[in-house]
Amino acid sequence: MKFVSGGGSYHVEIEGSGFPLILLHGFTGDRSTWDPFIPCWKSEYMLISIDIAGHGDTVMPASEESYTVTAAARMIHELMESLQIPKADLLGYSMGGRLALSFAALYPGKVRKLILESASPGLETAEERKNRRNQDERLGEYIKENGIEAFVDYWENIPLFKTQKMLPADVQMQIREQRLQNSPEGLEFSLRGMGTGAQPSWWGKLPHIKADTLLVTGSEDIKFCTLAERMSKLIPVCQWETVFGAGHAIHVEEPEKFGTIVSEFLQKL
């Protein structure tokens, strides 16, 4: 279905029945990120998969304001209102995790359970955010000047994804082909509007998160393990699971373990 919000047309897919579970992909991903898990989860949950602004089949106006994390959180709130959903569970990976956490910070009464895979509350100081915005601006310019294929060549070789080099060749190719489906303009605006540097810092909001929260990290992703350790001490009701041998994208590298961890958490009373 198409859902209109903030001048954009968001692509949303809904499958299954039960308590609503909103699924939010990472940067360069799309709703298909969650396809391997849908057959297992749809018998228990209403799965709501969203193409975030700048990705997949969502079409947005060319303005950075349309791509901000607060605009994306507002869209989720409007979507829930439209579907008459008073409260939902949220699962987000990386950028999608930052969006899920942003939604929980802005609309705390709307989230029952919050699952954050390799996510952060943002950067704590204005100087850090400024430096990251500058970095994201340069990366956005790189996409504009060199095109999507050159960018994907660069992106799949950054240190954050080094453990994915151990995946079977066909899986790596599948990930690459999906990334190439995104538009260069969409990714550029996503970096500018929804990058870590543009996002507000939610560190001060963590003690006020009302949702039962699960943090999932890979043991090889040291940066996000460190962030999760800090976050787990600040969020009132929080469980932290680390998957041994996995990197940033646990759902890709260890899908069975990831699916089990998520399912058990969702079923926990």
Side-chain angles (χ1 to χ4, degrees), residues 27 133-147 151 184-185 187-192:
F27 180 65
R133 282 197 304 273
N134 290 338
Q135 179 182 328
D136 288 342
E137 288 278 346
R138 290 193 296 270
L139 197 51
E141 287 297 320
Y142 181 88
I143 299 172
K144 182 189 294 186
E145 293 173 6
N146 296 280
F151 170 71
E185 294 82 5
L187 295 185
E188 178 193 349
F189 272 103
S190 179
L191 279 168
R192 296 179 189 276

Side-chain angles (χ1 to χ4, degrees), residues 42-252:
K42 71 178 183 180
S43 62
E44 300 286 338
Y45 305 97
M46 177 196 294
L47 303 175
I48 304 170
S49 307
I50 301 170
D51 281 344
I52 298 171
H55 298 77
D57 293 321
T58 286
V59 179
M60 302 296 294
S63 73
E64 288 183 30
E65 170 56 33
S66 302
Y67 288 77
T68 64
V69 71
T70 51
R74 184 166 59 247
M75 176 276 298
I76 294 172
H77 182 263
E78 292 172 0
L79 177 62
M80 289 176 64
E81 293 286 302
S82 173
L83 296 172
Q84 298 183 318
I85 295 173
K87 187 172 283 194
D89 296 337
L90 270 73
L91 163 57
Y93 159 65
S94 199
M95 178 189 75
R98 290 191 288 106
L99 173 54
L101 179 56
S102 299
F103 183 84
L106 293 167
Y107 305 98
K110 292 289 186 178
V111 186
R112 184 187 71 162
K113 292 193 175 188
L114 179 64
I115 305 169
L116 306 177
E117 177 192 0
S118 304
S120 88
L123 300 168
E124 292 179 86
T125 69
E127 185 66 21
E128 286 177 303
R129 291 192 291 275
K130 178 183 176 182
N131 291 338
R132 182 57 183 265
R133 282 197 304 273
N134 290 338
Q135 179 182 328
D136 288 342
E137 288 278 346
R138 290 193 296 270
L139 197 51
E141 287 297 320
Y142 181 88
I143 299 172
K144 182 189 294 186
E145 293 173 6
N146 296 280
I148 189 71
E149 188 165 356
F151 170 71
V152 170
D153 288 343
Y154 161 79
W155 190 249
E156 64 189 8
N157 285 291
I158 64 174
L160 191 67
F161 301 124
K162 65 180 181 180
T163 50
Q164 292 187 23
K165 297 297 183 182
M166 294 182 284
L167 290 169
D170 62 322
V171 176
Q172 294 187 53
M173 183 56 65
Q174 184 179 357
I175 295 169
R176 176 179 174 83
E177 289 176 352
Q178 180 276 308
R179 284 171 169 159
L180 288 169
Q181 295 305 306
N182 290 303
S183 74
E185 294 82 5
L187 295 185
E188 178 193 349
F189 272 103
S190 179
L191 279 168
R192 296 179 189 276
M194 202 170 167
T196 307
Q199 176 189 307
S201 172
W202 302 119
W203 284 100
K205 293 281 190 179
L206 296 185
H208 306 290
I209 296 292
K210 295 182 178 180
D212 189 1
T213 302
L214 170 67
L215 309 177
V216 187
T217 54
S219 65
E220 302 305 301
D221 189 5
I222 304 302
K223 174 183 175 181
F224 282 85
C225 285
T226 302
L227 288 168
E229 183 177 18
R230 287 187 61 197
M231 292 167 66
S232 68
K233 295 174 181 177
L234 294 170
I235 299 172
V237 183
C238 188
Q239 173 183 338
W240 173 29
E241 297 284 347
T242 299
V243 178
F244 181 77
H248 194 65
I250 304 102
H251 68 280
V252 172

